[in-house]
Amino acid sequence: MSHQPSDQPNPALDPKRLLEMAMEGMTETTRPRTPPPTSAELEAALPQFDISGLIGQGGMGAVYKAREKKLDRFVALKILRRETVQDPEFEERFVREARAQALLSHPNILAIYDFGETDDFFYIVSEYIDGVDLRQLMNMDRLSPMEALRLVPQICDALQFAHDRGVVHRDIKPENILIDQDGNVRIADFGLAKMLGGHDVTLTRTEQALGTPHYMAPEQMMGAGKVDHRADIYALGVVIYEMLTGELPIGHFAMPSQKVGTRKELDDVVMRALAQAVEDRYQSAGEIKSDVEGVPSDAAPSQVAYGEARLCRRPLVGLILLFVGFVALMGGAALLWDTQVEHQYRHQLQVEKYAAAMREIQVFQESTGKAWTGDLPVKRYPPSEDPTIDALSIWAFIGAAAVFLLLTVMILGFSGITTIKHSAGRLYGLGLAVFVAWILPLAILNAAVFAPLGLIRDQDLLAVVAVIVILTVIVLDLLFLRWQCDRHRAEMA
Amino acid sequence: MAGGTHRFLTTRWSLVAKAGDSDEQGRRAFEELCAQYWPPIFAFARRRGHAPDDALDLAQGFFLDLLARNGVDRADQERGRFRTFLLACFTNFLSNEHDRAQAQKRGGGRTLISLDSEEAEQRYGVEAVDDVSPDMIFERRWALAVIDRVMTRLRGEFADRRREARFKALEVYLQDPDLALTYKQTADQLGMSEGAVKVTVHRMRQRFRELLVEEVSQTLDEGIDAKDEIAHLLAALGGG
């Protein structure tokens, strides 16, 4: 077993400095976090609440579900221990930002009910949402692009509303986007980043503890220049990209259309929101909303957009079966028909030969007065069995085979339709599936329509009427199939 | 590189300490640790006045001897840290010429360290500092071995595919926060955005820290704080 370091260490690196840096960082991130206050501790400090339990814990403190006794309603109680805030200006900022947040009364913004401080804590009382945050939602199940795009306008509404009032969120990320049971969005923690971090968001303990600079706009990360509402726009771009693709837009990231087959228009929206330079970016959340809503409603992966979509095999098998079965049945029937005709003809021949021979014998006996002792002139006597009985059972078999074929093809067609509908765009061939599913029922129906034509005795009239009826029926069939297709497509979207 | 791909659930050293004589996993873990930390042993031997050839032979023999004996039980008091264990064993080994002769037999001609003495001398030889004791040299080398290993792993993680050059340009930020002023310049050089450089450096730092704790933990028995050990290594390098 040999061992050599694969590379010479970089001589420019000073091991001592490396370790020192690492140690510094470590005391930052692994500094034992003060445990969240217990329910009893909180109830003692804030007697107006019944604490139901801890529902979340982040770098900024702990969040509890609580019941506000007087109003008998559930609230979310965000607690920040006083000792964790060493910044002397925090108190002033806390009050200012809490007031700013409280002004944001919007259906998509988590409502602030109250805020205050006790000897040990700062606290914010807000609306309690019975639901999940976007991170949890994404972790539970990949959001479909349709679901994602249903959330975006609501997020935009909230941001636009806040931005109009001069409030920048500064920390938009999936954890701060709550979704209630009805699928309505609430954005939480407006201004909290500012409250905690002052101007330099990058270097707050919050950020260190959460360790996710991924949603931060470039200008925000560099701490250079003034950070305005367009930082939220950038963060929203990251969130949209993540919702669509399940990944963060890092490095040379792929367009959502390449990655998951969403429409190209969405690429443009995401790219514009993620523009590095603020002036290239969307200038308002409202613009994102209208662009997203402007994307045609089949923004869900469509057959065309899905590069990797493949033809659903079931209807194809059905079509082949239909063709092969039809040919086989027709051929079989023709063969049988032919055999039967031949069979009957031979039978008839035998009967006639026999009859002729018998007549000759009779003539011989009558003319000579002797009995016939020679061989019979025919070798075989007429077959006693009726040839039509045999054919009947074969016809029955062919009939059964036809019914079986009909059902198989129909099942293949209909299950093809269902599969395609549930494939989220990975399969195409809906038209074919509909055709295969309905062709035989339609054929039977058509035959029923054509049957009365047999009653027309006048050949000229029959020709004219038949042409009209057949054309009409074909047009009706096609319209019916088209309608079926549209119906299924509508259900897919 | 050997051992880089294995991740044991418990720390490797505690695995070794617990392993019985026939435990294959414990044995492998031990081999990997030894292969990783031979440079400090070599440096220690050099400082004690052995010639490069001899020092390498000694190190070689020592490790083979350790491996052949599964000689973990010999240093019970030292068990908590692989570093102190290894040094105690080696000192013991050096003071016992008999052991040395035995080692050649036990090792059966196997090679653990595949460097020639010249190369070893060049890369891991003793610095020309006279007032440093062999123990101090050992500890300093140990710290360097840890960092070397962490950097190699970090490089392996970051420098996959075409990011080699990027890593080379950015690794200097690991040690100097004041260099932040040059982000823009570096970003231009690498064709990256300044934001991307910042994010990458942030992640490199974080990962360096994680790997450091991981590597150091591998030489410690459970229950010993990696941070104390890191602080000790930092002190060995003359800092902290």
Side-chain angles (χ1 to χ4, degrees):
Chain A
M1 188 168 99
S2 72
H3 174 85
Q4 297 177 23
S6 58
D7 277 294
Q8 289 281 3
N10 183 345
L13 290 181
D14 174 3
K16 195 173 92 187
R17 289 289 302 138
L18 280 175
L19 277 193
E20 273 170 4
M21 277 292 284
M23 284 294 278
E24 269 169 39
M26 233 172 291
T27 46
E28 268 304 305
T29 47
T30 58
R31 179 195 296 167
R33 214 182 274 158
T34 28
T38 62
S39 299
E41 207 179 333
L42 276 180
E43 278 172 0
L46 300 163
Q48 65 270 43
F49 298 109
D50 277 333
I51 307 295
S52 312
L54 186 68
I55 51 176
Q57 206 182 343
M60 79 297 282
V63 186
Y64 296 79
K65 179 182 178 180
R67 196 178 60 86
E68 198 174 1
K69 288 178 191 164
K70 211 192 291 174
L71 291 166
D72 189 24
R73 65 175 175 184
F74 280 111
V75 295
L77 194 56
K78 192 174 285 252
I79 298 289
L80 192 68
R81 271 190 192 276
R82 202 178 268 277
E83 68 214 41
T84 53
V85 190
Q86 265 118 29
D87 181 354
E89 287 168 34
F90 177 80
E91 207 166 321
E92 187 199 332
R93 229 169 32 232
F94 175 75
V95 173
R96 197 173 57 229
E97 289 301 321
R99 283 190 180 141
Q101 278 181 68
L103 282 179
L104 299 177
S105 167
H106 186 273
N108 297 121
I109 296 177
L110 195 75
I112 299 291
Y113 294 150
D114 194 9
F115 67 93
E117 50 193 288
T118 68
D119 289 345
D120 295 326
F121 320 113
F122 292 97
Y123 66 91
I124 301 174
V125 187
S126 70
E127 191 182 1
Y128 171 76
I129 297 296
D130 188 12
V132 292
D133 67 40
L134 184 57
R135 170 71 61 217
Q136 293 166 321
L137 194 67
M138 289 194 290
N139 287 346
M140 275 190 277
D141 197 7
R142 262 285 301 286
L143 278 173
S144 79
M146 276 316 283
E147 289 169 297
L149 294 183
R150 212 173 40 75
L151 299 178
V152 172
Q154 299 186 56
I155 305 174
C156 292
D157 281 344
L159 287 180
Q160 185 66 55
F161 182 85
H163 294 165
D164 286 346
R165 281 149 191 81
V167 180
V168 180
H169 190 294
R170 289 167 160 261
D171 196 18
I172 287 288
K173 57 188 174 188
E175 288 81 357
N176 280 337
I177 299 170
L178 311 180
I179 296 118
D180 70 14
Q181 306 265 345
D182 302 323
N184 296 317
V185 168
R186 296 283 202 303
I187 300 195
D189 292 350
F190 258 99
L192 193 74
K194 193 171 178 188
M195 195 187 275
L196 288 166
H199 300 291
D200 191 353
V201 184
T202 328
L203 299 175
T204 60
R205 273 195 62 223
T206 323
E207 211 31 62
Q208 290 279 1
L210 301 179
T212 50
H214 300 303
Y215 301 90
M216 224 180 256
E219 73 273 14
Q220 201 177 359
M221 202 148 46
M222 283 178 283
K226 197 175 160 291
V227 170
D228 62 13
H229 68 279
R230 289 171 295 188
D232 286 352
I233 305 257
Y234 181 90
L236 177 57
V238 180
V239 170
I240 297 177
Y241 184 86
E242 196 182 3
M243 282 199 282
L244 292 176
T245 66
E247 284 171 23
L248 289 164
I250 297 170
H252 295 280
F253 53 90
M255 293 289 117
S257 63
Q258 294 161 4
K259 221 168 158 49
V260 288
T262 45
R263 291 189 65 102
K264 290 251 190 297
E265 291 93 324
L266 280 175
D267 293 355
D268 301 338
V269 174
V270 170
M271 287 316 290
R272 230 181 115 192
L274 288 177
Q276 293 288 316
V278 281
E279 53 273 17
D280 296 340
R281 224 172 276 162
Y282 278 106
Q283 298 299 303
S284 78
E287 287 175 63
I288 298 188
K289 180 188 175 185
S290 54
D291 277 5
V292 165
E293 286 179 338
V295 173
S297 64
D298 64 327
S302 66
Q303 290 98 337
V304 204
Y306 243 105
E308 55 205 306
R310 61 175 179 82
L311 183 64
C312 180
R313 290 207 189 89
R314 257 170 255 190
L316 204 62
V317 172
L319 191 71
I320 293 168
L321 197 66
L322 185 70
F323 182 73
V324 173
F326 184 75
V327 169
L329 278 178
M330 284 299 134
L335 205 65
L336 187 67
W337 181 256
D338 205 44
T339 321
Q340 200 186 353
V341 167
E342 168 111 356
H343 194 76
Q344 277 175 334
Y345 172 73
R346 290 233 175 100
H347 180 76
Q348 198 58 41
L349 220 57
Q350 292 269 353
V351 171
E352 278 167 18
K353 259 188 176 172
Y354 180 73
M358 290 317 274
R359 264 198 312 278
E360 269 181 44
I361 289 169
Q362 199 177 2
V363 169
F364 172 80
Q365 284 174 333
E366 277 169 6
S367 57
T368 60
K370 283 189 218 166
W372 175 266
T373 54
D375 287 338
L376 282 175
V378 281
K379 280 183 188 137
R380 282 177 61 201
Y381 287 91
S384 57
E385 77 275 22
D386 187 340
T388 52
I389 292 173
D390 193 13
L392 251 184
S393 67
I394 294 176
W395 281 119
F397 174 76
I398 289 183
V403 170
F404 178 74
L405 181 72
L406 174 103
L407 287 178
T408 313
V409 169
M410 270 179 73
I411 288 169
L412 282 168
F414 280 113
S415 84
I417 295 175
T418 320
T419 320
I420 292 171
K421 271 160 79 172
H422 289 103
S423 74
R426 278 185 293 278
L427 295 172
Y428 62 92
L430 185 68
L432 184 65
V434 167
F435 175 79
V436 168
W438 284 102
I439 181 68
L440 287 175
L442 281 179
I444 293 170
L445 198 70
N446 292 355
V449 173
F450 296 146
L453 290 177
L455 296 175
I456 302 173
R457 289 280 156 241
D458 185 325
Q459 290 297 311
D460 294 340
L461 183 64
L462 178 65
V464 176
V465 174
V467 167
I468 295 172
V469 170
I470 289 172
L471 286 179
T472 317
V473 165
I474 288 177
V475 170
L476 285 176
D477 286 352
L478 291 177
L479 284 177
F480 174 78
L481 291 176
R482 170 86 186 275
W483 171 67
Q484 282 289 323
C485 278
D486 290 346
R487 198 169 64 87
H488 291 305
R489 286 227 169 82
E491 277 176 30
M492 271 158 73
Chain B
M1 67 186 293
T5 50
H6 293 288
R7 290 275 188 85
F8 294 99
L9 284 179
T10 47
T11 66
R12 278 194 282 173
W13 177 231
S14 66
L15 202 74
V16 172
K18 271 187 216 136
D21 280 353
S22 55
D23 187 327
E24 178 57 27
Q25 205 188 9
R27 202 190 146 70
R28 260 219 334 265
F30 192 45
E31 273 193 24
E32 279 170 19
L33 275 176
C34 290
Q36 213 167 298
Y37 290 106
W38 72 265
I41 288 291
F42 172 78
F44 182 82
R46 285 283 293 121
R47 190 68 206 156
R48 289 273 288 249
H50 295 275
D53 277 338
D54 283 349
L56 199 61
D57 275 355
L58 278 169
Q60 188 90 264
F62 166 65
F63 280 116
L64 290 174
D65 183 54
L66 264 187
L67 289 172
R69 285 193 283 162
N70 263 352
V72 184
D73 43 309
R74 296 224 17 207
D76 263 314
Q77 319 96 299
E78 320 280 0
R79 205 169 243 197
R81 290 163 207 266
F82 183 57
R83 178 170 49 80
T84 48
F85 162 78
L86 208 60
L87 187 59
C89 285
F90 190 55
T91 321
N92 197 14
F93 176 85
L94 286 181
S95 66
N96 195 339
E97 284 300 307
H98 172 70
D99 270 7
R100 192 184 158 198
Q102 282 299 98
Q104 300 298 340
K105 279 188 221 154
R106 287 206 187 95
R110 282 181 69 210
T111 338
L112 184 77
I113 303 159
S114 69
L115 281 181
D116 61 44
S117 56
E118 211 172 299
E119 194 183 349
E121 178 64 11
Q122 211 177 357
R123 288 178 67 171
Y124 303 107
V126 186
E127 300 85 349
V129 186
D130 288 329
D131 59 340
V132 184
S133 73
D135 285 34
M136 284 164 80
I137 285 285
F138 175 81
E139 303 220 318
R140 180 178 296 175
R141 272 293 156 206
W142 188 280
L144 295 182
V146 170
I147 292 170
D148 201 26
R149 170 109 179 112
V150 169
M151 284 306 285
T152 308
R153 281 186 65 185
L154 188 67
R155 187 178 299 122
E157 283 180 18
F158 271 83
D160 59 330
R161 289 164 293 160
R162 61 211 153 78
R163 295 194 287 166
E164 183 86 40
R166 191 177 293 184
F167 184 86
K168 282 227 165 75
L170 294 181
E171 64 185 352
V172 66
Y173 289 106
L174 283 174
Q175 64 176 18
D176 201 348
D178 299 334
L179 285 173
L181 295 171
T182 64
Y183 276 149
K184 182 94 191 79
Q185 197 188 339
T186 310
D188 290 345
Q189 265 169 29
L190 294 173
M192 293 166 80
S193 70
E194 201 175 333
V197 167
K198 219 163 172 182
V199 173
T200 312
V201 168
H202 177 89
R203 276 192 289 169
M204 270 170 68
R205 280 198 191 132
Q206 203 137 310
R207 193 66 192 134
F208 181 86
R209 237 169 259 148
E210 288 166 14
L211 289 174
L212 182 65
V213 170
E214 206 180 300
E215 281 300 324
V216 164
S217 299
Q218 292 199 335
T219 69
L220 303 175
D221 204 354
E222 280 146 355
I224 299 183
D225 193 352
K227 247 191 294 172
D228 293 346
E229 176 75 359
I230 295 170
H232 182 92
L233 296 181
L234 182 55
L237 289 172

